[in-house]
Amino acid sequence: MIPFVDLKAQYLSIKEEVDQAVLGVLASTQFVLGKEVAAFEELFSAYTQTSHTIGVNSGTSALHLALLAGGIGPGDEVITTPHTFIATVSAIDYARATPVFVDIDPVSFTLDPALLEAAITPRTKALLPVHLYGQPADMDPIMAIARKHGLLVIEDAAQAHGAEYKGRRVGSIGDMGCFSFYPGKNLGAYGEGGAVTTNNAEFARTLRMLRDWGAERKYYHDLKGFNYRLEGVQGAVLKVKMKYIEAWTEARRAVAARYDAQLTPRGIATPAVLPDRRHVFHVYAIREPKRDQLQTFLHDHGVSTGIHYPIPVHRQRAFAELGYPEGAFPHAEAAAREVLSLPMYPELTHAQQDVVVAGLKLWAEQV
C-alpha cells in the first residue's frame, strides 16, 4: 500500500539531529516550556513574520486562548466555516460563545467573504477564517469587513504553516493566528503542540499568562488560566524541524504540481492554485461525485486515501443545538460528500506517486 502519510520517512531523514535534541532536553530537565520552547518561538515568529509566538499544548488550545485573549465570551457570536475540523468550532464553544457559520467558496474551500456581512449581528465579536488544506482564505475582504464592523480576526492556520496571501504569511494578517503541530501537520511535533502568533504585545502578554495558570510569576495568578504549556521535548523537535520547513514545503508543492500535470488532463477535479496565494498542500484534495466508490477502488489498487471532512460541523450531532438544517450551506455539504485526499508528504517518491496516478487513470477510464 502507498501510505496516506509517512511520518517515519521524515524522522529517519533527521534522526540524528532529533535524537540529540531530545536527549538534550532530558539532560537539562527543562521538560515544560524552557529554553528549547523559547528558541523555537523565536524562530517561528521570524518564519511567520510576527512579533510574538506563544507555544501551547495543541492547536485547539491555541484557538481557545486566542478567543479568550480577544475578550470573547458568553453571549458573543463568532463567524466561521462549517467545512473544517471540529476543533475550530469546539474552541468557540469552550469560550462559551456561539458559532455562526457561513458557506465556503467552492473553488478554494475557504470561507466566502461575500457571505460575511449578512451573517453579522449586534452580537458578532470575531471572524475565524480557516486556511483549509494549506490554502489561505481570501483575507483582504475579510479584514476590510472586520475593520468596518470593529471585529476581531483570528486565523485558523492549523494546516497552513508557511502559506502566503499576497506575499504575507498566514498568522500575521489577522489579530492572532493559531497553528497546530500535531504530528501529521506540515510542521509536526512528536506529540501534541500548537502556537498562537500575534503582532499585538498585549495579546501576547495575556496569552502567555493564560497558558500558564494565569500567572506571570509562580503562584501569583492574575487571570483564571489553564495548563496549556508546550513541552520542552516538543519545542526541541520543532526547533530542529524549522531548518527544513521550507524545503519540505517546496517538496509538497512539487508533488502537487506533478499530480496536477497528470490528473487534470484526465478530467480529475484537482485543487485550485490561486495566483495571489501560496498553497502549502497540507492536504491534496480532489473532488469526485462518486467519492466513496473511488476511495474503495484506490484502496483495492494499493493506495491509501483520507477524507477531510465527511460531515460538515453544522451537521455533527455534537452541534445539533445550533439548529442548522441540511442544505443550509450547500457548498460545504457538497465538499463533504465529494472531497478525497490523496497521499501527500515531502518524502513521497515519484514511483509511489505513479501508483496513485495509475489508479486514478484507471478510474477515469471506467466512469
Side-chain angles (χ1 to χ4, degrees):
M1 292 292 291
I2 305 303
F4 179 63
V5 67
D6 188 349
L7 299 182
K8 184 174 285 188
Q10 186 176 97
Y11 167 62
L12 292 175
S13 73
I14 55 173
K15 181 180 186 303
E16 185 175 342
E17 290 178 85
V18 167
D19 291 355
Q20 185 176 350
V22 170
L23 290 173
V25 173
L26 300 184
S28 74
T29 69
Q30 293 186 8
F31 301 124
V32 180
L33 298 178
K35 66 179 184 180
E36 292 297 321
V37 170
F40 164 68
E41 289 174 335
E42 185 174 347
L43 289 171
F44 199 67
S45 285
Y47 185 69
T48 55
Q49 302 169 348
T50 57
S51 302
H52 309 276
T53 293
I54 299 87
V56 294
N57 63 344
S58 73
T60 309
S61 297
L63 289 163
H64 183 197
L65 294 192
L67 289 160
L68 295 182
I72 305 302
D76 295 337
E77 293 177 349
V78 179
I79 298 175
T80 191
T81 164
H83 187 54
T84 183
F85 183 58
I86 200 167
T88 308
V89 183
S90 293
I92 299 170
D93 189 62
Y94 296 166
R96 297 187 292 170
T98 301
V100 173
F101 297 118
V102 300
D103 210 351
I104 59 170
D105 164 43
V107 175
S108 68
F109 295 116
T110 62
L111 184 151
D112 187 343
L115 304 175
L116 271 176
E117 288 203 273
I120 294 172
T121 76
R123 296 198 298 166
T124 307
K125 295 296 188 293
L127 308 179
L128 209 172
V130 180
H131 305 305
L132 196 72
Y133 302 160
Q135 173 90 272
D138 194 359
M139 291 303 295
D140 277 356
I142 291 171
M143 294 303 298
I145 292 167
R147 297 307 175 234
K148 176 182 175 182
H149 294 274
L151 304 176
L152 186 76
V153 177
I154 297 171
E155 301 173 65
D156 184 338
Q159 300 182 1
H161 315 70
E164 296 177 5
Y165 177 83
K166 298 184 179 180
R168 293 172 289 169
R169 288 277 164 91
V170 301
S172 70
I173 303 167
D175 297 289
M176 287 173 273
C178 298
F179 292 84
S180 169
F181 305 126
Y182 186 76
K185 293 293 196 285
N186 292 28
L187 181 66
Y190 288 169
E192 298 280 1
V196 185
T197 56
T198 184
N199 289 309
N200 183 303
E202 191 56 37
F203 284 155
R205 177 173 178 265
T206 302
L207 287 160
R208 291 188 188 281
M209 295 171 69
L210 287 172
R211 76 172 174 183
D212 193 8
W213 294 114
E216 287 188 295
R217 56 179 177 142
K218 198 169 185 179
Y219 302 132
Y220 290 81
H221 306 276
D222 298 322
L223 303 174
K224 293 179 180 179
F226 302 84
N227 182 11
Y228 281 179
R229 299 167 295 196
L230 184 62
E231 294 180 346
V233 165
Q234 307 308 338
V237 169
L238 291 166
K239 180 180 148 190
V240 169
K241 287 192 169 191
M242 285 302 298
K243 301 177 188 177
Y244 302 98
I245 180 65
E246 273 301 289
W248 289 336
T249 297
E250 287 306 314
R252 285 177 178 273
R253 286 164 54 81
V255 169
R258 196 163 183 267
Y259 272 140
D260 289 347
Q262 298 188 66
L263 298 179
T264 302
R266 298 283 176 164
I268 304 292
T270 57
V273 179
L274 301 174
D276 57 356
R277 305 177 210 185
R278 185 197 195 202
H279 196 320
V280 296
F281 292 100
H282 172 60
V283 166
Y284 187 93
I286 63 172
R287 297 190 72 152
E288 167 55 55
K290 298 179 180 179
R291 187 267 312 283
D292 294 343
Q293 296 96 311
L294 173 57
Q295 185 174 44
T296 299
F297 182 88
L298 289 175
H299 180 272
D300 292 344
H301 286 78
V303 177
S304 298
T305 58
I307 298 174
H308 299 81
Y309 299 94
I311 305 174
V313 182
H314 71 286
R315 299 303 295 160
Q316 296 282 357
R317 286 199 291 178
F319 287 100
E321 77 273 8
L322 295 176
Y324 290 105
E326 185 174 356
F329 306 107
H331 292 308
E333 292 171 30
R337 292 190 301 268
E338 296 176 4
V339 293
L340 183 68
S341 304
L342 304 184
M344 167 56 74
Y345 42 95
E347 300 79 18
L348 188 71
T349 67
H350 283 188
Q352 290 174 312
Q353 195 174 14
D354 287 344
V355 174
V356 180
V357 170
L360 284 159
K361 287 179 178 178
L362 282 173
W363 169 266
E365 289 169 2
Q366 295 182 18
V367 295

Tab-separated table of all heavy atoms in Angstrom, residues 169-209:
chain	number	residue	atom	x	y	z
A	169	ARG	N	2.629	36.110	5.181
A	169	ARG	CA	2.462	34.794	5.775
A	169	ARG	C	1.164	34.735	6.580
A	169	ARG	O	0.824	35.673	7.305
A	169	ARG	CB	3.647	34.471	6.698
A	169	ARG	CG	4.953	34.176	5.953
A	169	ARG	CD	4.993	32.722	5.489
A	169	ARG	NE	6.004	32.495	4.478
A	169	ARG	CZ	7.260	32.123	4.741
A	169	ARG	NH1	7.672	32.004	5.989
A	169	ARG	NH2	8.103	31.893	3.755
A	170	VAL	N	0.457	33.630	6.460
A	170	VAL	CA	-0.731	33.462	7.283
A	170	VAL	C	-0.301	33.408	8.746
A	170	VAL	O	0.802	32.981	9.078
A	170	VAL	CB	-1.536	32.207	6.892
A	170	VAL	CG1	-1.974	32.273	5.442
A	170	VAL	CG2	-0.738	30.929	7.161
A	171	GLY	N	-1.181	33.883	9.598
A	171	GLY	CA	-0.850	34.031	11.010
A	171	GLY	C	-0.361	35.414	11.361
A	171	GLY	O	-0.257	35.755	12.540
A	172	SER	N	-0.061	36.221	10.324
A	172	SER	CA	0.408	37.592	10.546
A	172	SER	C	-0.605	38.627	10.070
A	172	SER	O	-0.385	39.825	10.256
A	172	SER	CB	1.735	37.830	9.803
A	172	SER	OG	1.531	37.868	8.395
A	173	ILE	N	-1.702	38.188	9.464
A	173	ILE	CA	-2.624	39.109	8.796
A	173	ILE	C	-3.734	39.564	9.742
A	173	ILE	O	-4.063	40.744	9.822
A	173	ILE	CB	-3.213	38.456	7.534
A	173	ILE	CG1	-2.079	38.020	6.593
A	173	ILE	CG2	-4.150	39.420	6.808
A	173	ILE	CD1	-2.511	37.103	5.467
A	174	GLY	N	-4.322	38.626	10.465
A	174	GLY	CA	-5.357	38.947	11.437
A	174	GLY	C	-4.751	39.436	12.751
A	174	GLY	O	-3.551	39.705	12.849
A	175	ASP	N	-5.592	39.525	13.765
A	175	ASP	CA	-5.118	39.949	15.088
A	175	ASP	C	-4.288	38.870	15.755
A	175	ASP	O	-3.345	39.169	16.487
A	175	ASP	CB	-6.315	40.316	15.963
A	175	ASP	CG	-7.087	41.498	15.399
A	175	ASP	OD1	-6.555	42.615	15.458
A	175	ASP	OD2	-8.198	41.287	14.884
A	176	MET	N	-4.651	37.620	15.510
A	176	MET	CA	-3.901	36.480	16.013
A	176	MET	C	-4.008	35.337	15.016
A	176	MET	O	-4.984	35.244	14.261
A	176	MET	CB	-4.447	36.022	17.374
A	176	MET	CG	-4.106	36.946	18.531
A	176	MET	SD	-4.935	36.508	20.091
A	176	MET	CE	-6.492	37.409	19.884
A	177	GLY	N	-2.993	34.471	15.002
A	177	GLY	CA	-3.019	33.273	14.168
A	177	GLY	C	-2.794	32.049	15.029
A	177	GLY	O	-2.008	32.092	15.979
A	178	CYS	N	-3.474	30.962	14.703
A	178	CYS	CA	-3.409	29.748	15.521
A	178	CYS	C	-2.906	28.574	14.686
A	178	CYS	O	-3.447	28.285	13.616
A	178	CYS	CB	-4.777	29.432	16.097
A	178	CYS	SG	-5.406	30.726	17.188
A	179	PHE	N	-1.888	27.911	15.202
A	179	PHE	CA	-1.241	26.810	14.497
A	179	PHE	C	-1.301	25.535	15.325
A	179	PHE	O	-1.260	25.576	16.553
A	179	PHE	CB	0.230	27.144	14.217
A	179	PHE	CG	0.424	28.254	13.224
A	179	PHE	CD1	0.378	29.586	13.635
A	179	PHE	CD2	0.641	27.984	11.885
A	179	PHE	CE1	0.554	30.618	12.731
A	179	PHE	CE2	0.819	29.011	10.965
A	179	PHE	CZ	0.774	30.327	11.390
A	180	SER	N	-1.370	24.421	14.625
A	180	SER	CA	-1.254	23.100	15.239
A	180	SER	C	0.062	22.470	14.816
A	180	SER	O	0.488	22.623	13.673
A	180	SER	CB	-2.410	22.204	14.795
A	180	SER	OG	-2.174	20.860	15.167
A	181	PHE	N	0.676	21.750	15.757
A	181	PHE	CA	1.874	20.976	15.442
A	181	PHE	C	1.627	19.488	15.664
A	181	PHE	O	2.540	18.734	16.019
A	181	PHE	CB	3.066	21.460	16.284
A	181	PHE	CG	3.340	22.933	16.147
A	181	PHE	CD1	3.411	23.743	17.275
A	181	PHE	CD2	3.507	23.522	14.909
A	181	PHE	CE1	3.655	25.105	17.163
A	181	PHE	CE2	3.735	24.878	14.776
A	181	PHE	CZ	3.815	25.672	15.914
A	182	TYR	N	0.379	19.082	15.475
A	182	TYR	CA	0.058	17.660	15.517
A	182	TYR	C	1.006	16.927	14.558
A	182	TYR	O	1.391	17.479	13.527
A	182	TYR	CB	-1.406	17.475	15.108
A	182	TYR	CG	-1.908	16.064	15.237
A	182	TYR	CD1	-2.212	15.530	16.483
A	182	TYR	CD2	-2.072	15.256	14.112
A	182	TYR	CE1	-2.671	14.231	16.611
A	182	TYR	CE2	-2.534	13.956	14.220
A	182	TYR	CZ	-2.827	13.439	15.478
A	182	TYR	OH	-3.265	12.146	15.589
A	183	PRO	N	1.418	15.690	14.883
A	183	PRO	CA	2.492	15.040	14.118
A	183	PRO	C	2.330	15.036	12.607
A	183	PRO	O	3.319	15.124	11.866
A	183	PRO	CB	2.495	13.621	14.693
A	183	PRO	CG	2.061	13.792	16.101
A	183	PRO	CD	1.025	14.886	16.060
A	184	GLY	N	1.101	14.922	12.105
A	184	GLY	CA	0.910	14.856	10.663
A	184	GLY	C	0.885	16.190	9.957
A	184	GLY	O	0.795	16.234	8.724
A	185	LYS	N	0.991	17.294	10.689
A	185	LYS	CA	0.945	18.613	10.069
A	185	LYS	C	2.231	18.895	9.287
A	185	LYS	O	3.248	18.207	9.436
A	185	LYS	CB	0.742	19.690	11.140
A	185	LYS	CG	-0.622	19.621	11.824
A	185	LYS	CD	-1.730	19.967	10.860
A	185	LYS	CE	-3.046	20.297	11.544
A	185	LYS	NZ	-3.777	19.158	12.082
A	186	ASN	N	2.207	19.947	8.466
A	186	ASN	CA	3.393	20.305	7.674
A	186	ASN	C	4.597	20.570	8.565
A	186	ASN	O	5.730	20.301	8.176
A	186	ASN	CB	3.109	21.545	6.826
A	186	ASN	CG	2.094	21.284	5.729
A	186	ASN	OD1	1.232	20.425	5.865
A	186	ASN	ND2	2.194	22.021	4.638
A	187	LEU	N	4.366	21.127	9.732
A	187	LEU	CA	5.377	21.240	10.777
A	187	LEU	C	4.817	20.504	11.979
A	187	LEU	O	3.965	21.033	12.700
A	187	LEU	CB	5.675	22.706	11.118
A	187	LEU	CG	6.752	22.927	12.185
A	187	LEU	CD1	8.127	22.458	11.691
A	187	LEU	CD2	6.816	24.393	12.603
A	188	GLY	N	5.264	19.283	12.184
A	188	GLY	CA	4.664	18.427	13.204
A	188	GLY	C	5.610	18.122	14.339
A	188	GLY	O	6.797	17.850	14.138
A	189	ALA	N	5.071	18.146	15.545
A	189	ALA	CA	5.825	17.731	16.727
A	189	ALA	C	5.804	16.209	16.827
A	189	ALA	O	5.216	15.524	15.976
A	189	ALA	CB	5.212	18.371	17.971
A	190	TYR	N	6.424	15.685	17.873
A	190	TYR	CA	6.366	14.241	18.139
A	190	TYR	C	5.443	14.014	19.333
A	190	TYR	O	5.798	13.401	20.333
A	190	TYR	CB	7.765	13.676	18.373
A	190	TYR	CG	8.588	13.619	17.102
A	190	TYR	CD1	9.950	13.355	17.133
A	190	TYR	CD2	8.004	13.811	15.850
A	190	TYR	CE1	10.700	13.303	15.977
A	190	TYR	CE2	8.747	13.759	14.690
A	190	TYR	CZ	10.095	13.499	14.752
A	190	TYR	OH	10.833	13.436	13.599
A	191	GLY	N	4.238	14.526	19.179
A	191	GLY	CA	3.199	14.538	20.193
A	191	GLY	C	2.307	15.721	19.874
A	191	GLY	O	2.284	16.198	18.742
A	192	GLU	N	1.584	16.212	20.852
A	192	GLU	CA	0.719	17.367	20.638
A	192	GLU	C	1.498	18.670	20.778
A	192	GLU	O	2.490	18.741	21.508
A	192	GLU	CB	-0.439	17.360	21.650
A	192	GLU	CG	-1.371	16.155	21.537
A	192	GLU	CD	-2.377	16.297	20.410
A	192	GLU	OE1	-2.355	17.314	19.689
A	192	GLU	OE2	-3.196	15.368	20.256
A	193	GLY	N	1.018	19.701	20.100
A	193	GLY	CA	1.620	21.018	20.233
A	193	GLY	C	0.868	22.029	19.393
A	193	GLY	O	0.149	21.676	18.455
A	194	GLY	N	1.006	23.302	19.736
A	194	GLY	CA	0.364	24.368	18.991
A	194	GLY	C	0.987	25.700	19.346
A	194	GLY	O	1.888	25.772	20.191
A	195	ALA	N	0.524	26.762	18.711
A	195	ALA	CA	1.048	28.101	18.992
A	195	ALA	C	0.060	29.150	18.523
A	195	ALA	O	-0.707	28.926	17.589
A	195	ALA	CB	2.403	28.322	18.318
A	196	VAL	N	0.122	30.302	19.180
A	196	VAL	CA	-0.577	31.499	18.733
A	196	VAL	C	0.465	32.517	18.313
A	196	VAL	O	1.454	32.728	19.028
A	196	VAL	CB	-1.463	32.107	19.837
A	196	VAL	CG1	-2.269	33.292	19.285
A	196	VAL	CG2	-2.391	31.063	20.429
A	197	THR	N	0.274	33.143	17.162
A	197	THR	CA	1.155	34.222	16.719
A	197	THR	C	0.382	35.536	16.737
A	197	THR	O	-0.832	35.550	16.506
A	197	THR	CB	1.681	33.960	15.299
A	197	THR	OG1	0.562	33.778	14.404
A	197	THR	CG2	2.569	32.733	15.258
A	198	THR	N	1.088	36.627	16.994
A	198	THR	CA	0.441	37.925	17.012
A	198	THR	C	1.487	39.030	16.924
A	198	THR	O	2.652	38.829	17.280
A	198	THR	CB	-0.411	38.117	18.284
A	198	THR	OG1	-1.106	39.358	18.215
A	198	THR	CG2	0.445	38.088	19.543
A	199	ASN	N	1.052	40.183	16.449
A	199	ASN	CA	1.885	41.388	16.469
A	199	ASN	C	1.454	42.347	17.572
A	199	ASN	O	1.987	43.457	17.676
A	199	ASN	CB	1.822	42.097	15.118
A	199	ASN	CG	2.553	41.322	14.035
A	199	ASN	OD1	3.708	40.942	14.209
A	199	ASN	ND2	1.884	41.065	12.926
A	200	ASN	N	0.522	41.915	18.405
A	200	ASN	CA	-0.025	42.738	19.467
A	200	ASN	C	0.595	42.323	20.800
A	200	ASN	O	0.365	41.210	21.287
A	200	ASN	CB	-1.550	42.572	19.496
A	200	ASN	CG	-2.229	43.452	20.519
A	200	ASN	OD1	-1.923	43.383	21.705
A	200	ASN	ND2	-3.186	44.256	20.077
A	201	ALA	N	1.371	43.222	21.403
A	201	ALA	CA	2.102	42.893	22.624
A	201	ALA	C	1.162	42.575	23.786
A	201	ALA	O	1.468	41.706	24.620
A	201	ALA	CB	3.029	44.043	23.001
A	202	GLU	N	0.019	43.240	23.864
A	202	GLU	CA	-0.908	42.992	24.974
A	202	GLU	C	-1.569	41.630	24.826
A	202	GLU	O	-1.740	40.903	25.810
A	202	GLU	CB	-1.958	44.105	25.051
A	202	GLU	CG	-2.792	44.067	26.319
A	202	GLU	CD	-1.958	44.107	27.602
A	202	GLU	OE1	-0.929	44.818	27.633
A	202	GLU	OE2	-2.336	43.405	28.575
A	203	PHE	N	-1.947	41.278	23.595
A	203	PHE	CA	-2.465	39.920	23.375
A	203	PHE	C	-1.413	38.887	23.774
A	203	PHE	O	-1.726	37.876	24.418
A	203	PHE	CB	-2.863	39.718	21.919
A	203	PHE	CG	-4.159	40.354	21.521
A	203	PHE	CD1	-4.397	40.708	20.191
A	203	PHE	CD2	-5.164	40.605	22.443
A	203	PHE	CE1	-5.599	41.287	19.806
A	203	PHE	CE2	-6.367	41.187	22.063
A	203	PHE	CZ	-6.580	41.535	20.742
A	204	ALA	N	-0.166	39.113	23.373
A	204	ALA	CA	0.906	38.157	23.680
A	204	ALA	C	1.070	37.985	25.184
A	204	ALA	O	1.216	36.859	25.689
A	204	ALA	CB	2.211	38.615	23.047
A	205	ARG	N	1.047	39.085	25.920
A	205	ARG	CA	1.188	39.012	27.384
A	205	ARG	C	0.038	38.211	27.991
A	205	ARG	O	0.263	37.329	28.842
A	205	ARG	CB	1.218	40.425	27.973
A	205	ARG	CG	1.289	40.471	29.493
A	205	ARG	CD	1.485	41.896	29.991
A	205	ARG	NE	1.500	41.944	31.437
A	205	ARG	CZ	0.432	42.219	32.197
A	205	ARG	NH1	-0.741	42.505	31.616
A	205	ARG	NH2	0.527	42.234	33.513
A	206	THR	N	-1.174	38.487	27.546
A	206	THR	CA	-2.333	37.761	28.074
A	206	THR	C	-2.254	36.284	27.725
A	206	THR	O	-2.543	35.411	28.565
A	206	THR	CB	-3.629	38.370	27.515
A	206	THR	OG1	-3.689	39.749	27.872
A	206	THR	CG2	-4.852	37.650	28.064
A	207	LEU	N	-1.858	35.960	26.503
A	207	LEU	CA	-1.749	34.568	26.071
A	207	LEU	C	-0.716	33.809	26.894
A	207	LEU	O	-0.946	32.652	27.278
A	207	LEU	CB	-1.378	34.512	24.588
A	207	LEU	CG	-2.487	34.898	23.611
A	207	LEU	CD1	-1.910	35.288	22.256
A	207	LEU	CD2	-3.483	33.750	23.450
A	208	ARG	N	0.411	34.440	27.173
A	208	ARG	CA	1.444	33.770	27.976
A	208	ARG	C	0.937	33.486	29.387
A	208	ARG	O	1.267	32.442	29.976
A	208	ARG	CB	2.717	34.610	28.011
A	208	ARG	CG	3.427	34.684	26.664
A	208	ARG	CD	4.788	35.370	26.756
A	208	ARG	NE	5.335	35.572	25.427
A	208	ARG	CZ	5.929	34.638	24.683
A	208	ARG	NH1	6.064	33.416	25.178
A	208	ARG	NH2	6.385	34.917	23.476
A	209	MET	N	0.143	34.386	29.922
A	209	MET	CA	-0.436	34.158	31.243
A	209	MET	C	-1.488	33.051	31.190
A	209	MET	O	-1.497	32.147	32.034
A	209	MET	CB	-1.042	35.450	31.777
A	209	MET	CG	-0.023	36.543	32.046
A	209	MET	SD	-0.791	38.136	32.429
A	209	MET	CE	-1.521	37.777	34.036
